[in-house]
């Protein structure tokens, strides 16, 4: 009898605490940009209510920890994945994401590579019948009050030619717009692509800039920085042998008064 009473007390307590439990884990309805700490690679999560956009997946399964920390435990669906280009440090973690989450849509730059990780990714995409859109300059996509304007690459690279291009230089470059705020994602483009983008007068000044290629000295030119004039810069980086982010890039950002967040040092979560 005593054990029955104890059981009833536990059940009643659980019922009373359940609303507080869901309130604690209920996602915020404002837009949040989260820079996942995935080491030397890129992975960014956009959350707005129950809708999520994952931009790249990092070099391994660390991205799953970021998703576990920032998504409600019962939410196993990601509405949109954007893969800037198919290099391992941007793509590999997405294989794990596709294995554990339901994905509604994927956007890529259309470039194909003869690498095992890319083949594994595409095999899962086909197995799960996930729609893939290959974006290029001029494409515009709207999703859950978010707008994505694509500025690069200039043309779709398809078929046999897709295996011959340099992947970094064909990274997707796109602008996220939400309620007057703007964030620019640049993949791993170099200063050469930045010069083209700076001259076309399409890219506006932005609130947030994702620094290209983890802070490499071959990206983030002064001309490009002056064009986009960001208030905040995010550098996605981890332990590496290339010296990323370089002192040269950090000095440029400091001189312009840009607030810098690093995924290896800061808990990057920006609310819009």
């Amino acid at each position: 009898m005593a054990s029955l009473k104890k059981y009833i007390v536990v059940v009643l307590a659980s019922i009373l605490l359940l609303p507080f439990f869901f309130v604690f884990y209920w996602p915020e309805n404002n837009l949040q940009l989260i820079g996942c700490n995935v080491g030397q690679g890129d992975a960014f999560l956009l959350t707005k209510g129950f809708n999520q956009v994952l931009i790249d997946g990092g070099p391994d399964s660390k991205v799953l920890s970021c998703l576990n920390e920032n998504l409600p435990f019962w939410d196993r669906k990601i509405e949109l994945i954007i893969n800037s280009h198919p290099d391992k440090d941007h793509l590999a973690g997405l294989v794990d994401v596709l294995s554990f989450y339901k994905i509604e849509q994927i956007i890529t730059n259309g470039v194909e590579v003869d690498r095992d990780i890319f083949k594994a990714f595409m095999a899962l995409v086909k197995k799960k019948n996930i729609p893939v859109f290959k974006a290029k300059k001029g494409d515009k996509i709207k999703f859950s009050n978010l707008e994505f304007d694509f500025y690069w690459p200039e043309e779709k690279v398809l078929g046999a030619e897709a295996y011959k291009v340099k992947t970094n230089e064909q990274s997707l470059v796109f602008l996220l717009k939400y309620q007057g705020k703007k964030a620019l994602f640049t993949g791993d483009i170099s200063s050469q692509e930045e010069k083209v983008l700076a001259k076309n007068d399409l890219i506006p000044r932005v609130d947030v800039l994702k620094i290209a290629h983890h802070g490499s000295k071959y990206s983030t030119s002064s001309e490009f920085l002056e064009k986009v004039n960001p208030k905040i810069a995010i550098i996605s980086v981890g332990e590496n042998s290339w010296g990323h982010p370089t002192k040269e890039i950090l000095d440029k950002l400091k001189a312009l008064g840009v607030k810098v967040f690093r995924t290896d040092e800061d808990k990057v979560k920006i609310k819009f």
Side-chain angles (χ1 to χ4, degrees):
M1 190 68 178
S3 61
L4 177 60
K5 289 181 179 179
K6 185 177 180 180
Y7 173 77
I8 293 173
V9 169
V10 170
V11 170
L12 289 174
S14 300
I15 293 172
L16 290 172
L17 290 173
L18 194 60
F20 298 98
F21 180 77
F22 275 98
V23 167
F24 181 79
Y25 282 99
W26 204 260
E28 295 187 31
N29 201 42
N30 60 321
L31 178 64
Q32 296 186 83
L33 166 56
I34 297 157
C36 299
N37 182 2
V38 292
Q40 182 70 2
D42 271 22
F44 293 90
L45 177 64
L46 300 172
T47 67
K48 182 179 179 294
F50 289 99
N51 292 315
Q52 296 93 29
V53 179
L54 180 62
I55 303 167
D56 288 331
D60 51 38
S61 61
K62 291 188 185 73
V63 66
L64 295 179
S65 296
C66 181
L67 297 177
N68 288 335
E69 290 173 9
N70 294 286
L71 270 62
F73 69 89
W74 64 84
D75 189 353
R76 308 302 294 179
K77 180 173 70 174
I78 296 175
E79 282 68 24
L80 176 63
I81 284 179
I82 302 176
N83 176 227
S84 64
H85 62 295
D87 282 358
K88 180 181 178 181
D89 59 334
H90 293 248
L91 177 68
L94 295 181
V95 175
D96 295 290
V97 174
L98 264 61
S99 299
F100 289 98
Y101 288 85
K102 174 180 171 56
I103 311 301
E104 291 196 337
Q105 173 84 41
I106 295 174
I107 297 174
T108 74
N109 65 349
V111 173
E112 302 172 5
V113 290
D114 189 16
R115 300 170 190 163
D116 289 343
I117 195 66
F118 178 75
K119 292 175 182 178
F121 174 74
M122 290 307 301
L124 274 173
V125 169
K126 292 175 182 177
K127 179 181 179 181
K128 298 197 170 191
N129 197 29
I130 305 171
V132 177
F133 177 76
K134 298 170 182 178
K136 69 178 190 313
K137 176 183 174 182
D139 288 330
K140 297 179 183 292
I141 293 173
K142 292 185 178 181
F143 164 75
S144 185
N145 295 329
L146 309 180
E147 294 185 30
F148 297 92
D149 292 349
F150 289 84
Y151 298 121
W152 198 264
E154 291 190 310
E155 298 293 338
K156 290 182 181 178
V157 184
L158 304 174
E161 293 301 314
Y163 287 92
K164 300 177 183 179
V165 302
K166 294 181 179 179
T167 52
N168 284 346
E169 286 79 349
Q170 294 295 319
S171 293
L172 289 175
V173 177
F174 57 93
L175 185 73
L176 162 67
K177 298 189 291 187
Y178 175 73
Q179 294 187 349
K181 298 292 185 180
K182 301 179 179 69
L184 185 66
F185 294 85
T186 55
D188 280 354
I189 62 169
S190 71
S191 297
Q192 292 300 114
E193 291 75 51
E194 290 176 350
K195 287 178 182 178
V196 177
L197 291 167
K199 288 178 180 177
N200 66 21
D201 289 327
L202 290 175
I203 297 180
R205 293 187 172 188
V206 302
D207 299 284
V208 180
L209 173 65
K210 199 290 291 189
I211 296 298
H213 208 173
H214 322 292
S216 163
K217 66 179 181 180
Y218 300 109
S219 304
T220 317
S221 63
S222 297
E223 180 183 3
F224 187 70
L225 271 180
E226 291 170 6
K227 177 73 175 179
V228 299
N229 193 29
K231 299 173 185 175
I232 295 172
I234 304 175
I235 304 175
S236 189
V237 68
E239 184 178 349
N240 65 91
S241 58
W242 298 283
H244 298 162
T246 63
K247 184 177 183 299
E248 178 182 347
I249 298 303
L250 295 174
D251 287 345
K252 283 182 184 180
L253 295 169
K254 183 178 180 181
L256 290 174
V258 180
K259 186 172 184 179
V260 177
F261 292 99
R262 296 173 48 156
T263 56
D264 62 339
E265 295 181 350
D266 306 303
K267 192 173 182 64
V268 183
K269 183 176 288 189
I270 299 169
K271 296 184 180 182
F272 291 88

